[in-house]
């Protein structure tokens, strides 16, 4: 029997995945976070796109190591001892959600765990949130297939570009990476479109979700078309997780 429920939280770079994952960890008991970014290959092994190192594609990731970690988590209900997170050293800034809202959501989860959610999460059955930019694409089917709850965040290109360019950079295996000029337009966004266009009508990632495709894959897409602030995304996420966990427990 599995000792962990794996929640996959995906979306474009700078869509708020890591911020949301950490908030959910603080709201749901017996919950851990696993970062896909901790499975990058060494920088010298990364492919190129538009003459630049491409950190935003499947080839940049050590997929077998990620699958191995997920298998361990499912069997043990905890993160593997060999995994040391560099992602936790990256700054993500303030989450922007009022503390009263977080407290109310914690109370809602506590009440749920006394009712329909009773026994769903405990010391013997944890929830592990895997946050990553590429969890549901066709190139990572082996990852997608072992995720129990799939949630996709959206963000507009303009917001993604603005947020990413405000970051100082990222801790890597080799040290520190700073995006060169034009990196979002040349690398990040084209990679997102290639991997996710099949989930949208006409392949337009800024347009309407293809409901049949996401339903068949079991992906729950955050409403708002990428315009929702985190204070709206968080309550939707908490409600979605509670409902889905309750359904899985039946």
């Amino acid at each position: 029997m599995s000792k962990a429920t794996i929640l996959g939280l995906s979306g474009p770079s700078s869509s708020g995945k890591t911020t949301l994952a950490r908030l959910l960890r603080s709201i749901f008991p017996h919950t851990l976070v696993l970062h896909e970014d901790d499975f990058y290959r060494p920088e010298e092994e990364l492919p190129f796109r538009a003459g630049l190192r491409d950190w935003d594609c499947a080839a940049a990731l050590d997929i077998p190591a990620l699958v191995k970690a997920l298998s361990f988590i499912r069997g043990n209900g905890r993160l593997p001892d060999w995994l040391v997170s560099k992602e936790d050293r990256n700054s993500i800034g303030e989450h922007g959600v009022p503390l009263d809202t977080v407290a109310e959501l914690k109370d809602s989860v506590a009440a749920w765990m006394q009712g329909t959610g009773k026994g769903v999460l405990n010391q013997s059955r944890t929830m592990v949130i895997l946050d990553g930019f590429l969890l549901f694409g066709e190139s990572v089917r082996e990852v997608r297939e072992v995720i129990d709850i799939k949630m996709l965040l959206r963000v507009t290109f303009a917001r993604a570009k603005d947020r990413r360019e405000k970051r100082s950079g990222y801790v890597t295996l080799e040290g520190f990476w700073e995006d060169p000029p034009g990196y979002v337009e040349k690398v990040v966004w084209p990679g997102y479109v290639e991997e996710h266009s099949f989930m949208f009508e006409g392949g337009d990632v800024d347009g309407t979700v293809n409901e049949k495709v996401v339903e068949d894959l079991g992906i729950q897409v955050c409403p708002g078309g990428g315009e929702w602030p985190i204070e709206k995304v968080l309550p939707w996420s908490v409600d979605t997780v509670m409902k889905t966990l309750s359904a899985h427990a039946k």
Side-chain angles (χ1 to χ4, degrees), residues 8 22 24 29 32 51 60 65 67 77 86-87 111 116 126 148 150 166 182 188 197 201 211-212 221 237 239 248-249:
R22 292 174 179 175
L24 291 174
L32 306 169
V67 172
K86 59 177 175 53
E87 177 60 23
T116 57
T126 60
D148 301 301
K150 305 179 183 74
K166 285 179 178 177
V188 176
S197 60
E201 298 289 352
E211 296 294 345
K212 184 179 187 308
V221 182
S237 301
D239 185 61
H248 281 201

Side-chain angles (χ1 to χ4, degrees), residues 71-82:
S71 177
F72 178 92
I73 288 166
R74 192 175 290 285
N76 295 273
R78 61 181 178 85
L79 303 182
D81 294 333
W82 50 264

Side-chain angles (χ1 to χ4, degrees), residues 19-201:
T19 299
L20 180 60
R22 292 174 179 175
L23 280 165
L24 291 174
R25 179 177 59 189
S26 74
I27 291 169
F28 284 89
H30 311 294
T31 297
L32 306 169
V33 174
L34 178 70
H35 305 286
E36 185 180 48
D37 285 4
D38 281 324
F39 294 87
Y40 273 119
R41 295 185 179 279
E43 185 173 337
E44 65 270 17
E45 296 181 13
L46 269 56
F48 287 86
R49 179 193 285 268
L52 300 169
R53 289 286 186 185
D54 186 355
W55 295 87
D56 289 76
C57 63
L61 299 166
D62 187 345
I63 300 298
L66 176 55
V67 172
K68 177 184 175 183
L70 293 172
S71 177
F72 178 92
I73 288 166
R74 192 175 290 285
N76 295 273
R78 61 181 178 85
L79 303 182
D81 294 333
W82 50 264
L83 180 64
V84 178
S85 178
K86 59 177 175 53
E87 177 60 23
D88 282 337
R89 306 205 302 271
N90 281 321
S91 173
I92 59 171
E94 296 296 324
H95 56 66
V97 181
L99 295 181
D100 287 349
T101 299
V102 176
E104 289 171 6
L105 291 170
K106 284 184 179 180
D107 289 343
S108 296
V109 169
W112 166 74
M113 292 191 69
Q114 295 300 314
T116 57
K118 189 172 184 178
V120 172
L121 294 175
N122 51 56
Q123 291 182 341
S124 301
R125 176 80 180 190
T126 60
M127 178 166 69
V128 175
I129 302 171
L130 169 62
D131 86 89
F133 70 95
L134 181 55
L135 301 181
F136 310 143
E138 292 296 296
S139 65
V140 290
R141 285 189 181 189
E142 58 267 62
V143 175
R144 186 175 72 197
E145 290 171 357
V146 299
I147 296 174
D148 301 301
I149 303 173
K150 305 179 183 74
M151 295 169 56
L152 181 70
L153 302 184
R154 299 181 66 181
V155 69
T156 63
F157 169 77
R159 285 195 178 195
K161 176 177 167 62
D162 179 65
R163 290 174 181 173
R164 178 133 179 172
E165 290 181 349
K166 285 179 178 177
R167 293 180 178 177
S168 58
Y170 303 85
V171 176
T172 68
L173 291 172
E174 296 78 17
F176 198 73
W177 164 272
E178 294 182 66
D179 288 346
Y183 196 72
V184 175
E185 302 96 313
K186 296 176 182 177
V187 178
V188 176
W189 200 254
Y192 168 67
V193 172
E194 282 183 9
E195 289 285 357
H196 298 84
S197 60
F198 77 101
M199 301 181 197
F200 296 87
E201 298 289 352

